[in-house]
Amino acid sequence: MNAHDPEVHSLLGPYVLDALEPAERAAFEGHLRECPACRDEVADLRPAAAALADTPLSPPPALREQVMRLAAQTRPVRRGARPASRPASRPSRRLWVGAAAAAVLLALGGGLVATQRDDTMTAADVFSAADVHTHEMPTKMGKVRVGMSHEMHVVAVDGSAMTDPGAGMAYEVWWAAPGHTESVGMFQDDESVVVPMGEGDLWITMEPKAGSATPTSAPLLSLPATSL
Amino acid sequence: MPRRGLLRAVPAAPAAPEELMAAVADGDLDAFGGLYDRYAAAVHGVATRVLRDPIRAEEVTQEVFLEAWRGADGYRAELGGVRTWLVTIAHRRAIDVVRSVEASRAREDRAGRRELHEVPGPETEVLADAERADVRRCLEGLTPLQLESVRLAYYDGLTYPQVAARLGRPLSTIKTRMADGLARLRDCMEAGA
């Protein structure tokens, strides 16, 4: 198969869905190496395929410990770095193969999101994300703007259009799920805040500036995570 | 100046995913833990959905993160988001496991399994599976053939010739429906963003 063979190019959809046999997958990846436009097309369709995987399920806590323990025994591979004279611990072959596979996926990934070089995300970064979903919601304290980026896995809450909650008071952001309400951030009426994506409903309540361990007033806003 | 000093300490704003990856590439285990905490459910979710086997799904989840740890230096933000990157690796690994398990099964066992697979999953299953309202809505916008082609490949791990055989359509039709189904999904999601 030739790299410019239209037959090879027709494998694009099956490739992004991982629906190719190994031989055709290899042929298509060979095609991608020589075709920047095709890499862009792949990169363009990948987020749509990855969105199909949106059925989050937390693994058991023990898995985290195991992964962290195994990670502590190996070190990240520096691509392009000269091999050390003798690695402290010899990584298993399996891990090397894994890194190589990741590198291939990376090399073939194609462009998607602009880079952000700041240390932390600002609300502006989230509101300008390529995949942001923005909601303007009325509350009795004025309009609040909420932006969710699935890719960044965060929610930005912009309180710049909200009114002053009064002396000694501030707004607190929560994730409220049955039996568990967690405080994730606070902001003043002229501020915005970025909080991690969570489960249940996103709540905003008015609380004393020192913050509350659990909500002490009725939510001004309650937005289910699934509607973000 | 913002009156942050008066506010109770709450969790710091999460690091940008690209920064997290850069720290992971530097061998920062805490950052790696942060990466795991943020994306483990997405990775484990896709592995479980494809493998339908909690033990194998955990194995895949572990491999994906160790792969990300080893290969973090190769991550390029300009090539795509971190979640998409991890989910892409997880899906491919899960599919490879499904295929190698099926290939190693005894012939008669395979025949039995194929019969099980013949029972077409209702379309509502895939729609309900998509948790995000926008993904659900966009899936509803696909033609039945696009939806079935994408579903059988992505969730059930069928290759496109297997999908074509299952649906009784030519190979060329299935390849095209997979590509234009994904493109329609992308357009719909971008329009809704």
Side-chain angles (χ1 to χ4, degrees), chain B residues 35-47:
Chain B
L35 185 79
Y36 183 92
D37 292 339
R38 198 180 292 187
Y39 297 109
V43 166
H44 191 60
V46 64

Side-chain angles (χ1 to χ4, degrees), chain A residues 1 3 8 11 21-33:
Chain A
M1 270 190 271
V8 183
L11 299 175
E21 293 288 357
E24 277 186 317
R25 182 193 282 178
F28 189 78
E29 289 184 344
H31 171 61
L32 281 185
R33 274 182 210 103

Side-chain angles (χ1 to χ4, degrees), chain A residues 46-114:
Chain A
R46 277 226 194 278
L52 292 169
D54 189 57
T55 49
L57 180 67
S58 296
L63 188 68
R64 186 186 198 277
E65 286 165 37
Q66 188 172 321
V67 168
M68 294 305 291
R69 188 171 46 76
L70 290 168
Q73 291 167 6
T74 56
R75 275 180 308 173
V77 175
R78 279 280 177 194
R79 287 203 310 175
R82 303 233 167 255
S85 51
R86 191 78 188 163
S89 64
R90 189 177 276 269
S92 73
R93 180 177 163 71
R94 184 176 193 158
L95 286 173
W96 282 108
V97 170
V104 167
L105 279 178
L106 285 164
L108 301 176
L112 167 67
V113 171

Side-chain angles (χ1 to χ4, degrees), chain A residues 86-179:
Chain A
R86 191 78 188 163
S89 64
R90 189 177 276 269
S92 73
R93 180 177 163 71
R94 184 176 193 158
L95 286 173
W96 282 108
V97 170
V104 167
L105 279 178
L106 285 164
L108 301 176
L112 167 67
V113 171
T115 50
Q116 237 305 298
R117 300 310 300 176
D118 287 334
D119 210 5
T120 56
M121 279 175 279
T122 64
D125 298 333
V126 179
F127 285 112
S128 62
D131 72 329
V132 72
H133 284 226
T134 303
H135 310 263
E136 291 236 13
M137 307 296 294
T139 76
K140 65 177 186 179
M141 302 303 287
K143 231 185 263 174
V144 62
R145 197 158 61 107
V146 177
M148 194 277 288
S149 163
H150 201 69
E151 191 60 60
M152 293 177 170
H153 205 65
V154 293
V155 177
V157 179
D158 172 16
S160 57
M162 294 177 80
T163 55
D164 188 339
M169 299 296 283
Y171 296 106
E172 191 157 357
V173 185
W174 313 81
W175 278 110

Side-chain angles (χ1 to χ4, degrees), chain A residues 7 10-11 13-21 24-25 29 44-60 63-64 66-68 70-72 74-79 91 94-96 98-99 101-102 105-107 109-121 130-133 150-154 170 172 183-186 188-191 194-196 209-212 226, chain B residues 2-4 6-8 10-11 13-19 22 24-27 29-30 32-34 36-42 44-46 48-49 58 61-63 65-67 69-71 73-85 87-89 91-93 95-96 99 129-135 139 149-150 153-155 158-161 175 178-179 182-183 185-186 189-190 192-193:
Chain A
E7 269 303 302
S10 74
L11 299 175
Y15 174 75
V16 174
L17 291 168
D18 291 325
L20 295 179
E21 293 288 357
E24 277 186 317
R25 182 193 282 178
E29 289 184 344
D44 206 37
L45 293 180
R46 277 226 194 278
L52 292 169
D54 189 57
T55 49
L57 180 67
S58 296
L63 188 68
R64 186 186 198 277
Q66 188 172 321
V67 168
M68 294 305 291
L70 290 168
T74 56
R75 275 180 308 173
V77 175
R78 279 280 177 194
R79 287 203 310 175
R94 184 176 193 158
L95 286 173
W96 282 108
L105 279 178
L106 285 164
L112 167 67
V113 171
T115 50
Q116 237 305 298
R117 300 310 300 176
D118 287 334
D119 210 5
T120 56
M121 279 175 279
D131 72 329
V132 72
H133 284 226
H150 201 69
E151 191 60 60
M152 293 177 170
H153 205 65
V154 293
E172 191 157 357
S183 169
V184 284
M186 295 196 77
Q188 296 282 0
D189 50 277
D190 57 353
E191 292 177 349
V194 178
V195 303
K209 253 181 197 158
S212 304
T226 49
Chain B
R3 287 153 284 176
R4 281 183 222 283
L6 296 173
L7 297 176
R8 183 172 66 101
V10 289
E18 296 77 21
E19 283 302 316
V24 171
D26 280 338
L29 260 181
D30 287 340
F32 178 65
Y36 183 92
D37 292 339
R38 198 180 292 187
Y39 297 109
H44 191 60
V46 64
T48 305
R49 182 65 184 78
E58 283 177 36
T61 301
Q62 174 174 317
E63 284 172 15
F65 278 98
L66 291 176
E67 204 170 301
W69 170 243
R70 304 282 313 168
D73 186 45
Y75 173 75
R76 294 286 176 269
E78 63 274 19
L79 295 182
V82 176
R83 180 186 177 278
T84 295
W85 180 61
V87 164
T88 301
I89 297 173
H91 186 263
R92 180 180 284 200
R93 280 207 165 238
I95 292 284
D96 287 346
R99 298 208 183 128
D129 272 338
E131 186 153 299
R132 281 161 64 195
D134 63 326
V135 178
L139 281 170
S149 302
V150 165
Y154 197 82
Y155 294 126
L158 268 58
T159 61
Y160 76 91
K175 286 190 282 188
M178 286 177 172
L182 283 170
L185 198 54
R186 172 206 60 203
M189 285 168 46
E190 281 175 1

Side-chain angles (χ1 to χ4, degrees), chain B residues 144-165:
Chain B
L145 189 57
Q146 284 173 336
L147 180 63
E148 241 349 59
S149 302
V150 165
R151 188 183 80 82
L152 289 170
Y154 197 82
Y155 294 126
D156 292 353
L158 268 58
T159 61
Y160 76 91
Q162 290 172 322
V163 174

